[in-house]
Amino acid sequence: MNRLGDSVAVVTGAAGVFGTAIAIRYAEEGAALVLTDLDETRLRVTVKAVEAVAAVPVTAFAADLTEPAEVGTLFEHADNAYGRIDVLINNAGSALRSPLVFHTDADWHRMLRVNLDSVFYCTRQAVRRMLPRRTGRIINVSSALGLTGGADEVAYATAKAAVIGFTRSVAQEVGRRGICVNAICPTLAESGVSREYFGGFEVDIRAVAGYLARRAAMPRPISPDDVADMAVFRGARESAYLNGQAILVGGVG
């Protein structure tokens, strides 16, 4: 415990299942938090969940991370709250499962904006703040599909693959100045994005659970806590020499 006790972390997509799990684990490890999401109501629920497990400073700021001006305001909020940022976790994302011929222009651009543009805008703001201090961690939540591609997932997989390329490029640019940039690539888990992937929250959760169990390369499907644990490791001292890596979490399902 307290592996992140002197850290200030910004978590995007904090109202989602992965984001909430990451926020809780970071709080348990002592980090002060800036939580952001587009859904202000669900974001308040995440804040309460964090406050229930750890007495750490936590502030929330609802923002559309596809809009650079709102991202700038978010980071100004973090500056005012804590005066610095040690860790950025780019977790915000959205999924789409559809054959290519049914992808609309709007679908394509939405996948790139939510899954890639948001990472670019937030990382740019974080790096501007980390460079003068010559320290920082940036953790991008990509996807196993960013490594493998996937039929009926062209826009989503392309955006997540681009996140990996972005991660490796930024890591090469800022690594010698003390900033580590890495990606986490989860397989499908029971999360909001996965439910969206299967067609929305009206789908039968039992069918989703059965599918995930069949795809799992381990005795159980990946859970949000597995992703959160990897995010903690990437933010902690033990991973200080990991840079530009895209780590698959969940085996090869």
Side-chain angles (χ1 to χ4, degrees), residues 177-192:
R177 285 175 276 184
I179 302 170
C180 295
V181 188
N182 291 287
I184 300 172
C185 303
T187 53
L188 277 172
E190 176 41 44
S191 69

Side-chain angles (χ1 to χ4, degrees), residues 37-242:
D37 200 283
L38 186 61
D39 189 328
E40 187 170 4
T41 300
R42 291 175 63 203
L43 185 57
R44 287 196 293 267
V45 174
T46 299
V47 170
K48 290 180 179 178
V50 168
E51 291 174 338
V53 300
V56 297
V58 55
T59 182
F61 190 89
D64 181 351
L65 302 183
T66 68
E67 296 294 336
E70 293 197 33
V71 173
T73 304
L74 164 66
F75 279 81
E76 289 171 4
H77 172 82
D79 291 339
N80 293 333
Y82 300 114
R84 73 179 201 276
I85 296 167
D86 301 297
V87 183
L88 166 65
I89 303 167
N90 282 310
N91 171 69
S94 180
L96 172 68
R97 191 165 196 262
S98 171
L100 173 63
V101 294
F102 296 124
H103 274 43
T104 67
D105 292 353
D107 289 335
W108 174 258
H109 290 295
R110 179 171 65 88
M111 287 296 101
L112 293 179
R113 282 173 59 80
V114 174
N115 294 299
L116 180 59
D117 288 0
S118 65
V119 174
F120 166 70
Y121 295 142
C122 289
T123 300
R124 182 171 61 181
Q125 290 286 348
V127 166
R128 285 171 177 167
R129 289 158 170 81
M130 292 174 177
L131 281 174
R133 299 178 59 232
R134 300 185 72 84
T135 185
R137 304 290 178 84
I138 297 171
I139 302 161
N140 299 324
V141 180
S142 178
S143 167
L145 294 174
L147 295 167
T148 65
D152 298 332
E153 299 152 324
V154 170
Y156 176 73
T158 298
K160 289 300 190 179
V163 168
I164 295 171
F166 177 84
T167 297
R168 290 170 172 159
S169 296
V170 178
Q172 291 183 38
E173 182 173 323
V174 302
R176 290 178 67 87
R177 285 175 276 184
I179 302 170
C180 295
V181 188
N182 291 287
I184 300 172
C185 303
T187 53
L188 277 172
E190 176 41 44
S191 69
V193 169
S194 295
R195 294 292 291 275
E196 187 178 2
Y197 170 92
F198 284 107
F201 283 89
E202 71 279 1
V203 300
D204 187 342
I205 186 59
R206 293 168 299 180
V208 174
Y211 178 85
L212 294 176
R214 291 191 299 273
R215 286 282 299 270
M218 304 288 282
R220 60 168 176 78
I222 183 178
S223 77
D225 285 340
D226 295 317
V227 177
D229 287 341
M230 180 58 70
V232 167
F233 171 66
R234 289 299 180 85
R237 178 186 55 80
E238 296 93 320
S239 65
Y241 208 75
L242 275 178

